[in-house]
Amino acid sequence: MDQDIPWWKSGILYQVYPRSFQDSDGDGVGDLRGITGRLPYLKSLGVDAVWLSPVFPSPMDDFGYDISDYTGIAPLFGTLADFDALVAAAHAEDLKIILDLVPNHTSDRHPWFIESRNSRDNPKRDWYIWHDGRGEGAPPNNWLSEFGGSSWEFDVRTGQFYYHAFLRSQPDLNWRNPQVRRAIHEVMRFWLRRGVDGFRVDVMWHLIKDERLRDNPPNPDWRFGQQPYQQLLPIHSTDRPEVHEIVAEMRGVIEEFGDRVLIGEIYLPPEKLVAYYGQGLAGAHLPFNFALIAAPWNAQAIARLVDAYEAALPPGAWPNWVLGNHDRSRIASRVGDGQARVAAMLLLTLRGTPTLYYGDEIGMPQAAIAPDQVRDPWETNLPGLGLGRDGCRTPMRWDASPGAGFSSGAPWLPLGPGLATCNVSAETDLPTSMLNLYRALIALRRAMPELALGDYESVEATGDLLAYQRGHRGTRMLIVLNFGCDPALFDVADRAGDIVLSTFMDRTGEPLKSTLTLRGSEGVVIKLAG
């Protein structure tokens, strides 16, 4: 692989949800020592970087995304010494550690907010977004919380409202205040000095709001039964032009420390997403592209998505792809087991940095959560809309034991169905398992610069078939994916080459003939001759 290529371009990211990866002390909740103990597994899988969802001190109203101390570790997960040991152990295995930075909001129990709400003239009052209402208890404007209801909360003590894009216990910081910016920059430096290799910045597109607090307009496409937040178009509360200055400043902090990465969580369509690369690519290295998570699962839709994204990228920008995360249902349940294998091949052969979500490599399904087991505030605030995220956050299945090898105690969430066969131990021993497909795809990507670094060329999207080529320095790979359940034929034309991997893992070395027959839900990677 080219030595002068940044690691985050040729590498593969792996998201760990710390509560659910490995419990080392039997309390049913995963922790840092547990993650450290599983680093050999991640190394053997072949990934390059581990992204940790938040591990900071927090009341856990939103399971760590409500931070009460940006420079500590929640006792639930361990200590700063445990974190330092994790970073050291990861680096010894040539693995990177990426932290989840949550700069849009804090917990209402963060010392900054406690000071801010103490009085209107407190020095930290302007660290958050406070405003008078507009008469008889009405909030300052019509903005809505993503977790339901108004995004404004009235504070009796000081007689003003504060803004919260999510839970009322998650007040938004005021990024128009230079002191806030400097404080978060120092938080970044604190962790970068401890050796972290970058940040995934939570809700980056939310960071700054309209200075005039104008009402958001109604969404003409919203229908009853959809998420209430979507009733309005959040044009004044998200994706403001000024956000790019903030991202550029964060990138500047990253650049102080050399070979680190800045990733942005941004749920926007490709034509808006790509603006977060910044002027002169001085923004986020990787504005996360979640398009695959929401796309209709068929060849034509995926082809249009890839082509539109590639066309929208600024010159020199590096793409990225995500199939699953802690906020969306599991890929295996979204598309079915067979197509989940096709999805794996798609993710790991498209141009750009792929991000894997823990457990997807063994085909973990979305777990049904009984009403009395629901933990997610999104579901408890808006019941009946299917917004709960608990089902994609269930503990990692290491083996078929009662605690799945995750914990010696009762896991914080139920394990879900299919434990006997869907676990690391069982799949390690099965040559054609999902886990071994992921291992083979990752090994192939690492061995073939065409897949890790090559260009992308669309070949065909006909019926259920999607075909594209990856090329690098005169060598080419052809990928053909069948998004249907029935066999399909691909016209090879004048191409010559051999299959190097099938999602069924049984056609290695098979030469191309004039027509390539793919089984239902099969994908193949072909090394082209010449």
Side-chain angles (χ1 to χ4, degrees):
M1 208 68 71
D2 297 22
Q3 296 301 310
D4 57 346
I5 298 295
W7 62 266
W8 49 265
K9 278 193 174 183
S10 61
I12 297 169
L13 312 183
Y14 184 98
Q15 182 189 358
V16 163
Y17 194 68
R19 295 181 70 92
S20 295
F21 200 62
Q22 181 65 59
D23 171 23
S24 70
D25 59 11
D27 66 355
V29 177
D31 47 48
L32 294 176
R33 290 187 179 185
I35 296 168
T36 302
R38 292 296 185 180
L39 290 177
Y41 166 78
L42 296 176
K43 181 67 175 179
S44 71
L45 184 61
V47 300
D48 298 271
V50 182
W51 153 33
L52 303 178
S53 291
V55 291
F56 312 105
S58 164
M60 298 293 167
D61 289 352
D62 191 21
F63 296 105
Y65 286 90
D66 51 318
I67 294 171
S68 57
D69 178 2
Y70 280 110
T71 56
I73 296 294
L76 185 70
F77 298 126
T79 64
L80 270 173
D82 292 329
F83 180 82
D84 291 340
L86 169 60
V87 172
H91 287 172
E93 294 279 11
D94 200 25
L95 291 167
K96 310 290 187 182
I97 294 292
I98 297 169
L99 271 187
D100 213 319
L101 181 69
V102 188
N104 179 69
H105 49 265
T106 69
S107 165
D108 61 358
R109 279 165 271 185
H110 194 292
W112 296 345
F113 188 72
I114 292 171
E115 282 194 52
S116 183
R117 78 187 310 177
N118 191 50
S119 68
R120 290 196 184 196
D121 58 2
N122 188 279
K124 285 195 167 54
R125 184 68 168 185
D126 194 45
W127 282 45
Y128 293 83
I129 302 171
W130 292 93
H131 207 276
D132 292 329
R134 49 183 179 185
E136 294 303 318
N141 60 28
N142 70 347
W143 296 356
L144 297 173
S145 163
E146 292 224 26
F147 284 170
S150 172
S151 59
W152 294 95
E153 180 71 10
F154 185 70
D155 182 64
V156 175
R157 180 185 305 174
T158 57
Q160 282 189 314
F161 290 83
Y162 67 84
Y163 177 72
H164 58 93
F166 298 93
L167 295 174
R168 68 184 63 183
S169 59
Q170 293 173 292
D172 280 40
L173 286 162
N174 176 17
W175 273 84
R176 294 185 181 277
N177 185 331
Q179 292 177 305
V180 169
R181 298 189 187 196
R182 288 194 293 269
I184 295 297
H185 295 163
E186 282 307 305
V187 168
M188 295 172 69
R189 293 184 181 102
F190 174 88
W191 293 107
L192 290 164
R193 292 182 186 114
R194 295 193 95 89
V196 304
D197 299 285
F199 300 98
R200 174 267 194 188
V201 180
D202 187 59
V203 297
M204 182 180 274
W205 82 111
H206 271 269
L207 286 178
I208 202 161
K209 289 78 178 171
D210 179 48
E211 193 168 25
R212 293 158 55 192
L213 301 182
R214 288 171 288 181
D215 278 355
N216 282 325
N219 178 1
D221 297 323
W222 185 82
R223 297 293 179 267
F224 183 78
Q226 293 178 320
Q227 185 182 346
Y229 174 76
Q230 296 170 347
Q231 293 178 73
L232 304 177
L233 299 173
I235 62 172
H236 297 306
S237 51
T238 66
D239 194 32
R240 301 296 302 161
E242 306 96 312
V243 74
H244 302 297
E245 177 186 330
I246 292 171
V247 177
E249 290 176 355
M250 288 183 169
R251 173 67 175 269
V253 175
I254 288 286
E255 294 295 332
E256 295 173 16
F257 291 83
D259 194 18
R260 315 294 173 97
V261 67
L262 184 67
I263 302 168
E265 182 198 28
I266 305 156
Y267 279 97
L268 291 173
E271 65 272 14
K272 293 185 176 182
L273 170 73
V274 295
Y276 287 77
Y277 285 102
Q279 291 292 324
L281 303 183
H285 294 97
L286 299 175
F288 260 162
N289 168 22
F290 299 113
L292 286 178
I293 292 179
W297 198 253
N298 63 71
Q300 280 78 29
I302 299 298
R304 287 192 297 270
L305 185 162
V306 176
D307 290 345
Y309 178 53
E310 285 278 354
L313 288 166
W318 188 247
N320 70 93
W321 297 94
V322 181
L323 266 181
N325 63 23
H326 62 289
D327 288 329
R328 297 294 187 266
S329 61
R330 289 273 182 185
I331 181 65
S333 295
R334 294 203 311 268
V335 302
D337 291 343
Q339 283 295 312
R341 298 172 79 92
V342 172
M345 185 168 281
L346 176 73
L347 177 69
L348 289 161
T349 59
L350 283 172
R351 187 174 85 99
T353 303
T355 297
L356 312 185
Y357 183 49
Y358 85 97
D360 280 353
E361 77 273 19
I362 59 172
M364 272 178 60
Q366 186 80 358
I369 306 297
D372 63 344
Q373 295 176 310
V374 169
R375 307 290 296 275
D376 183 13
W378 207 2
E379 178 68 15
T380 55
N381 283 9
L382 296 166
L385 295 181
L387 299 174
R389 300 165 294 178
D390 293 327
C392 65
R393 299 175 174 185
T394 55
M396 181 67 172
R397 290 119 166 264
W398 299 103
D399 58 40
S401 65
F406 161 73
S407 178
S408 59
W412 77 285
L413 281 174
L415 296 169
L419 176 61
T421 55
C422 180
N423 67 73
V424 170
S425 180
E427 294 193 27
T428 296
D429 296 334
L430 181 64
T432 59
S433 69
M434 180 76 83
L435 175 59
N436 283 319
L437 173 63
Y438 265 92
R439 290 185 190 277
L441 282 164
I442 291 170
L444 188 63
R445 185 182 178 91
R446 294 179 76 89
M448 299 290 186
E450 301 96 319
L451 296 180
L453 301 171
D455 57 21
Y456 171 89
E457 178 187 350
S458 177
V459 172
E460 180 179 323
T462 305
D464 289 324
L465 287 184
L466 172 63
Y468 50 92
Q469 287 188 175
R470 302 291 312 282
H472 185 70
R473 296 182 178 175
T475 62
R476 294 175 301 151
M477 309 289 282
L478 173 67
I479 296 90
V480 188
L481 306 173
N482 184 359
F483 284 77
C485 298
D486 298 321
L489 302 179
F490 176 73
D491 184 2
V492 173
D494 59 351
R495 299 178 182 88
D498 299 314
I499 295 175
V500 294
L501 185 62
S502 161
T503 52
F504 286 79
M505 304 183 72
D506 61 355
R507 301 177 71 174
T508 302
E510 179 182 316
L512 286 185
K513 300 176 183 177
S514 58
T515 300
L516 173 66
T517 301
L518 281 88
R519 291 163 285 190
S521 298
E522 181 178 22
V524 294
V525 180
I526 299 157
K527 176 75 172 178
L528 294 175

